[in-house]
Amino acid sequence: MAVVLVFVLIPTWDMILGRVYLNHLCSTEAGVKVYQTVELPAEYWDKEGRPRFMNARGVINMVMLGDRFKWHQVREPYINGLIKIDKRRWQLEDITTQKALGEKVDFVRYFGWLNRFSPAPNVSESCPDIEIKQEKSILHGIFKPATSIR
């Protein structure tokens, strides 16, 4: 039994370990950080207070915002050994002030050596379902309706 277990684990241990550690990072370190909020005038919001500059999936329409904001991606090697995991940070920057308004953090795991010999290899995977959730969360945290002062 031990011999069979060794022969199964030798080619797949990096896949198993990488998946377990990626799930740990996704649940403990991935997420959204808001550094600064931006108040936008009433024309950017509908009657229910939902943003007009964002579609139903939570993707921002940069043109509607006058190209004032841009996404900037930073990739950092997190683990670079027998398993490879990168930390990926998407920062939303205000071009006029050149300040980061917030960021969403994700992790990317690159598949192991056995995958490279596959006829249809996969390159990587990231935290499941986190992209859309983070995009909506960061945009709702950064952009707020302008409060009128009378």
Side-chain angles (χ1 to χ4, degrees):
M1 183 69 167
V3 173
V4 171
L5 188 61
V6 167
F7 279 108
V8 169
L9 287 179
I10 286 176
T12 61
W13 75 271
D14 59 339
M15 294 289 290
I16 296 167
L17 182 62
R19 168 69 69 128
V20 168
Y21 196 59
L22 176 70
N23 288 340
H24 168 72
L25 290 172
C26 291
S27 64
T28 59
E29 294 187 34
V32 169
K33 295 177 185 173
V34 174
Y35 303 124
Q36 185 176 350
T37 59
V38 175
E39 290 187 347
L40 295 174
E43 64 259 18
Y44 291 99
W45 309 93
D46 67 11
K47 292 177 184 176
E48 288 82 34
R50 292 184 303 240
R52 291 183 176 166
F53 54 87
M54 189 185 320
N55 70 16
R57 287 188 44 219
V59 178
I60 191 170
N61 181 341
M62 295 297 204
V63 175
M64 186 174 186
L65 291 174
D67 292 325
R68 177 180 164 192
F69 307 98
K70 71 175 181 176
W71 285 108
H72 174 72
Q73 183 182 25
V74 178
R75 282 186 179 250
E76 305 166 356
Y78 194 80
I79 297 175
N80 199 7
L82 296 174
I83 61 173
K84 184 177 179 190
I85 297 178
D86 287 347
K87 183 177 185 178
R88 183 173 58 185
R89 297 180 352 212
W90 284 93
Q91 295 179 332
L92 185 64
E93 182 181 322
D94 184 337
I95 295 171
T96 57
T97 62
Q98 296 184 343
K99 290 185 178 180
L101 301 174
E103 70 179 3
K104 51 187 182 174
V105 177
D106 192 9
F107 290 89
V108 178
R109 172 180 79 99
Y110 298 92
F111 291 115
W113 68 273
L114 187 61
N115 183 65
R116 293 186 194 114
F117 297 109
S118 169
N122 292 318
V123 177
S124 64
E125 71 175 333
S126 61
C127 297
D129 298 327
I130 204 158
E131 281 289 322
I132 294 170
K133 290 177 187 174
Q134 283 185 345
E135 184 111 1
K136 285 182 179 180
S137 177
I138 193 168
L139 295 176
H140 284 292
I142 291 174
F143 298 113
K144 303 289 182 192
T147 54
S148 59
I149 303 171
R150 294 188 188 231

